[in-house]
């Protein structure tokens, strides 16, 4: 019997309890172990490029730690994908960001996709992410529900209702053929949103980024694939005052 694949979810925020143990365990299947950790230095939530930048150093440290512990792949638990490229330079195991992964999967499943995110200020960030991924022509739109990430669960019925409304507008007004949640705090809402759309006569894929990224990461491990070291070469060793931490030591220094 093949060894189980171990994927670790790294939450790049310091708010305790954001990703529950039950949610993590719900992702496990036969042959797939899922664990989770989070940063201890960084923002309470991420709703800007600034906060994403502050989250990146400890996110990279947790990913280096995961590889040393024998974890097979990592998924960053934020649609800003903070530290994604930097982390890939420091480890050999697959590291996936849910935004990058979700957009590529959406482009596989439909002609154009829309991102439904939490606040309007993030729309430019998603348009930039699509451009960097080479998918601008496949992105129909980005829309927001105007609910901050730490308030999403305050009234889940309201959150799901607004998600369905915005997804319908994305399909009917913007030409989307697939929907991506633009915040990993919407974990678990995909089935309800898809059902709500079906009740309105709309049949499109609704992508929940964390389950998607976790399963793609496991698939890469099983296929013996990871990122290219020509794209993400190991960084050169040099002094970094303020970052002299064992958990950020690179492979070349060990």
């Amino acid at each position: 019997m093949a060894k189980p694949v171990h994927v670790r979810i790294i939450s790049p925020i310091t708010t305790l309890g954001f990703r529950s143990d039950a949610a993590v365990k719900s992702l496990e299947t036969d042959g797939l172990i899922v664990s989770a950790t989070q940063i201890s230095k960084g923002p309470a939530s991420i709703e800007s490029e600034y906060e994403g930048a502050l989250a990146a150093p400890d996110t990279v440290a947790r990913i280096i730690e995961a590889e040393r512990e024998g974890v097979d792949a990592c998924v960053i638990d934020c649609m800003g994908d903070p530290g994604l490229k930097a982390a890939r330079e420091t480890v050999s195991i697959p590291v996936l960001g849910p935004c990058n992964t979700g957009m590529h999967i959406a482009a596989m499943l439909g002609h154009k996709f829309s991102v439904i995110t939490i606040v309007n200020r993030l729309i430019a960030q998603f348009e930039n992410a699509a451009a960097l991924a080479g998918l601008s022509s496949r992105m129909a739109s980005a829309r927001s529900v105007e609910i901050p990430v730490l308030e999403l669960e305050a009234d889940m019925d309201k959150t799901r209702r607004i998600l369905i409304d915005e997804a319908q507008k994305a399909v009917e007004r913007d030409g989307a053929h697939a929907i991506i949640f633009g915040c990993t705090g919407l974990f678990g809402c995909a089935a309800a949103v898809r059902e709500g759309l079906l009740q309105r006569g709309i049949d499109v894929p609704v992508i929940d980024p964390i389950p998607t990224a976790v399963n793609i990461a496991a698939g890469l491990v099983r296929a013996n694939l990871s990122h290219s070291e020509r794209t993400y070469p190991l960084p050169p060793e040099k002094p970094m005052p303020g970052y002299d931490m064992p958990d950020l030591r690179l492979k070349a220094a060990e």
Side-chain angles (χ1 to χ4, degrees):
M1 182 178 294
K3 175 187 173 184
V5 174
H6 184 178
V7 176
R8 178 161 296 168
I9 298 171
I10 312 293
S11 289
I13 63 174
T14 53
T15 298
L16 297 176
F18 174 76
R19 184 64 64 216
S20 70
D21 291 341
V24 173
K25 291 303 177 186
S26 73
L27 296 170
E28 294 191 335
T29 59
D30 289 342
L32 174 59
I33 298 168
V34 183
S35 61
T37 189
Q38 67 183 99
I39 63 173
S40 59
K41 297 180 285 291
S45 64
I46 297 177
E47 294 167 320
S48 65
E49 296 280 7
Y50 167 73
E51 292 160 341
L54 293 180
D58 212 28
T59 299
V60 173
R62 298 286 74 75
I63 291 170
I64 293 172
E65 178 183 72
E67 183 178 55
R68 289 173 178 161
E69 292 177 358
V71 171
D72 298 303
C74 287
V75 170
I76 299 170
D77 194 355
C78 174
M79 285 296 281
D81 293 352
L84 174 61
K85 293 179 181 179
R88 285 177 173 173
E89 289 181 342
T90 64
V91 298
S92 298
I93 60 175
V95 181
L96 271 63
C99 180
N100 182 268
T101 304
M103 285 185 174
H104 281 284
I105 293 298
M108 289 172 57
L109 299 178
H111 177 57
K112 288 196 172 188
F113 61 83
S114 285
V115 177
I116 311 298
T117 190
I118 51 173
V119 289
N120 185 69
R121 66 175 295 153
L122 293 175
I123 288 177
Q125 185 172 324
F126 285 108
E127 291 175 347
N128 289 335
L132 288 171
L135 295 171
S136 290
S137 66
R138 308 296 298 279
M139 184 174 180
S141 64
R143 290 177 166 271
S144 67
V145 296
E146 291 307 305
I147 304 173
V149 61
L150 297 181
E151 298 177 17
L152 287 171
E153 295 185 359
D155 186 345
M156 285 305 299
D157 288 338
K158 175 185 175 182
T159 296
R160 284 188 285 265
R161 185 170 63 252
I162 298 174
L163 283 170
I164 295 166
D165 289 342
E166 291 301 320
Q168 180 177 4
K169 293 173 187 176
V171 172
E172 295 180 346
R173 300 182 187 180
D174 306 334
H177 292 194
I179 300 296
I180 309 169
F181 289 159
C183 177
T184 61
L186 296 170
F187 179 93
C189 292
V193 172
R194 175 161 164 75
E195 179 58 30
L197 289 174
L198 286 171
Q199 291 176 5
R200 300 180 188 188
I202 299 170
D203 186 357
V204 297
V206 178
I207 295 170
D208 195 336
I210 285 298
T212 300
V214 166
N215 282 285
I216 295 297
L220 289 174
V221 173
R222 293 186 180 110
N224 197 32
L225 292 172
S226 190
H227 48 270
S228 170
E229 289 202 5
R230 289 185 64 83
T231 307
Y232 303 101
L234 188 71
E237 280 293 311
K238 63 184 67 173
M240 290 192 182
Y243 287 96
D244 187 20
M245 299 182 292
D247 51 1
L248 278 174
R249 187 177 296 119
L250 302 176
K251 291 176 289 187
E254 296 179 343

